[in-house]
Structure formats: structure tokens, C-alpha cells
Amino acid sequence: MKTLVCAFLLCLSTIITAQKKPAEYFPGSKAKVLVVGSFHFDYPNLDAHKTEKGDQVDVLSPKTAKEVTELVDYIKKFKPTKIAIEADPDWNANQKLKEYKEGEHTDKRDERYQLAMRIAKDLGINELYSVDANSVLDDLQEKFGKTDSLYFKNLSADYDFLSNDPVSKQYDAFFKSTEPKNFRSLLDLFKYMNGKEYHQHEYGAYLSGDFKLRIYDGADMLALYWYNRNLRIFRNIQNIPHNPEDRLLVIVGNGHASVLRQLFTSSPDFNYVEFDALK
């Protein structure tokens, strides 16, 4: 009897230890992706969190320009073969890139020039991929009427990312703490704001405040608007022609990066590279 029990336990142990890890079911080389979440260098202040004039940095000033160079040199360690940016196709990124390589646009503060185009020029990359997208909510409102539809008016009422509840006030302090002036350099800031813990807490902002509007309105708005927009951005990145040897650099606003982290780390098609892991 004892022998049978031992044999059973040995067999059971073999079965348990033979079970593969989940990642082992998805073998093979995959394209690497580095998502660089950025603040907008030209401060359009279109997001819910606004940066006051006194807290803004001028990336063209001598001091900050040196920090931009340090940041660019660090990102180039990834050795990207393809670069994607937060832009609509009608922004004409590749025409602008051609002009940039001819000496134009060097006075533009936008991170698409200061980071993406500068890196593309330095590494001899001749094409940028514009991956921004409207949300399905934008499409539905365009189709059915933004102002005439009582459904959309009721659904989106008060959904503006501006709330005064205690958690929202904590997020106000959290986002204000990431102003560049609070860091030794832009590179230090980017390492901080592209970290896993930061992204987890940043994404939590979308699950509080207006997310709790009425019963499901806040949840439906997040799904139809913000989360759907990021899913479409991810789909646009998937559509970039690539092979396992490619290294995709994605430069977007950091609010997008927190969602893209979830999508890329779960995707069987890519290997997600942590920003602070570049050597």
C-alpha cells in the first residue's frame, strides 16, 4: 500500500512539475517595443491636468536643451528600427520629417520634433508612423449627431475628468509632483514617469472621479472614449509592418503609455522593454 501511495505521489509530482509556464506556450522571437510616455513639450494644455506657466520648461533653453540631448541619447540605446508617434495621418509626419532633415522645424518644441524626428535623423530612419486615432464615441457622435442625440448628451453629461472628491484631489497632487522642475533632469523624470508603479497609479485616475458618474455612464464613457481610443492606437501599431528583428519605438503622451503598457505586456506579438532597462 505504501509503495502504491509513493508511486501515485511521484506520478502526481511529475505531472505538476511538467506543466509549462504560460509564456512557454508562446515561443519564438517577437519584435521589441519601447513605449516612451512623455509630457507635451509645447504645453497645449488640452488634458485635464494643466501645467501653469511658471511650472513649464522651455526645451529650447540652453539648460533644458542639454537635458533633451541626454534624453535622446538614452532612448537611442534602444536602437529602434521603426518609430511611431501620437499624430493623425493628416499631420503629414513624413513630409515634416523630410523638412526636418533639411534643417527646418528645429525651433519647434513639440516632442514629435524634439524626440522622434531627432532620433530618426540621427539613426537614418526615413519614416514615422502616425498611430493616433479617434474613439468609437467620436465616430458614433459624428454619425448620429453630437448635439441632437439625447442619449449621448445624457451619457456624457459632466464627464470632463474634473472632480473634487478626495481621490481626485490626491491625483491632482500626484500629477503636479511630476512637473520637470521637481527632477534633476528630463531623463530622471522620464525614468520615473515611465515606471511600472507610476503607470499603475496613473491609470487609476481613469477609474476614479468621473468613472463613478451615475450607475454606468462613467464606465461606458471610459470604454467608448478613452480606452477605445487606446485600443485603436494599439491596433495601428500592430499594423506597422514588422518582423521579429524589429525594434519599435512608440512616443506618446504618458496617459496613453499607461494603457499601452497593459496591452503590450499582455500581447503575444511583442516583447515590452522597460524604459529604465536600456543599457
Side-chain angles (χ1 to χ4, degrees), residues 17-18 27 47-48 77 80 95 101 132 140 150 159 166 169 180 197 225 232 253 256:
T17 57
D47 299 319
K77 291 180 180 181
Q95 177 61 33
K101 289 188 173 186
D132 202 1
L140 290 172
L150 182 61
Y159 193 88
K169 290 179 180 179
E197 182 178 0
Y225 169 59
R232 288 183 170 194
H256 297 290

Side-chain angles (χ1 to χ4, degrees), residues 6-69:
C6 290
F8 172 77
L9 292 176
L10 178 61
C11 181
L12 181 61
S13 175
T14 301
I15 292 173
I16 292 174
T17 57
Q19 177 60 53
K20 294 180 180 180
K21 294 180 180 179
E24 294 183 72
Y25 288 92
F26 306 94
S29 299
K30 304 165 189 173
K32 290 183 170 61
V33 61
L34 175 70
V35 179
V36 178
S38 175
F39 67 94
H40 294 306
F41 286 7
D42 56 348
Y43 293 101
N45 271 343
L46 299 177
D47 299 319
H49 174 71
K50 316 293 184 189
T51 303
E52 297 176 5
K53 190 70 175 177
D55 293 330
Q56 297 177 9
V57 295
D58 182 0
V59 295
L60 299 181
S61 69
K63 176 183 179 300
T64 312
K66 289 181 180 179
E67 295 178 15
V68 172
T69 297

Side-chain angles (χ1 to χ4, degrees), residues 60-228:
L60 299 181
S61 69
K63 176 183 179 300
T64 312
K66 289 181 180 179
E67 295 178 15
V68 172
T69 297
E70 180 187 29
L71 176 59
V72 165
D73 288 343
Y74 180 79
I75 296 172
K76 286 194 300 185
K77 291 180 180 181
F78 178 63
K79 299 179 181 178
T81 59
K82 305 280 177 70
I83 301 177
I85 59 172
E86 182 185 344
D88 296 317
D90 59 8
W91 194 69
N92 296 319
N94 290 318
Q95 177 61 33
K96 289 182 169 68
L97 175 60
K98 180 178 180 293
E99 295 165 355
Y100 182 87
K101 289 188 173 186
E102 294 170 349
E104 298 183 45
H105 307 306
T106 56
D107 59 343
K108 301 288 178 62
R109 291 172 172 81
D110 190 319
E111 68 278 2
R112 291 172 292 192
Y113 295 100
Q114 292 295 323
L115 298 182
M117 293 191 191
R118 186 169 173 181
I119 292 169
K121 181 180 179 180
D122 289 353
L123 298 181
I125 295 172
N126 296 317
E127 184 174 9
L128 299 176
Y129 294 89
S130 297
V131 296
D132 202 1
N134 289 329
S135 69
V136 67
L137 180 64
D138 295 320
D139 293 347
L140 290 172
Q141 288 178 332
E142 182 178 351
K143 182 175 181 179
F144 296 109
K146 185 173 183 178
T147 57
D148 296 333
S149 170
L150 182 61
Y151 172 76
F152 287 130
K153 288 175 68 174
N154 290 338
L155 178 66
S156 61
D158 302 318
Y159 193 88
D160 54 11
F161 299 108
L162 300 175
S163 303
N164 291 316
D165 62 280
V167 173
S168 294
K169 290 179 180 179
Q170 290 172 345
Y171 270 106
D172 289 340
F174 173 64
F175 289 128
K176 191 169 182 59
S177 73
T178 58
E179 303 292 1
K181 67 176 184 178
N182 296 320
F183 292 83
R184 184 177 58 183
S185 68
L186 287 181
L187 179 56
D188 284 351
L189 168 60
F190 272 66
K191 286 183 177 180
Y192 177 77
M193 66 191 292
N194 281 282
K196 181 178 181 180
E197 182 178 0
Y198 185 93
H199 280 159
Q200 286 177 333
H201 283 84
E202 181 182 49
Y203 186 70
Y206 302 112
L207 305 177
S208 58
D210 287 353
F211 182 76
K212 300 177 181 179
L213 278 174
R214 296 172 285 280
I215 299 177
Y216 296 126
D217 286 355
D220 290 345
M221 281 293 294
L222 179 67
L224 289 169
Y225 169 59
W226 181 248
Y227 205 83
N228 179 261

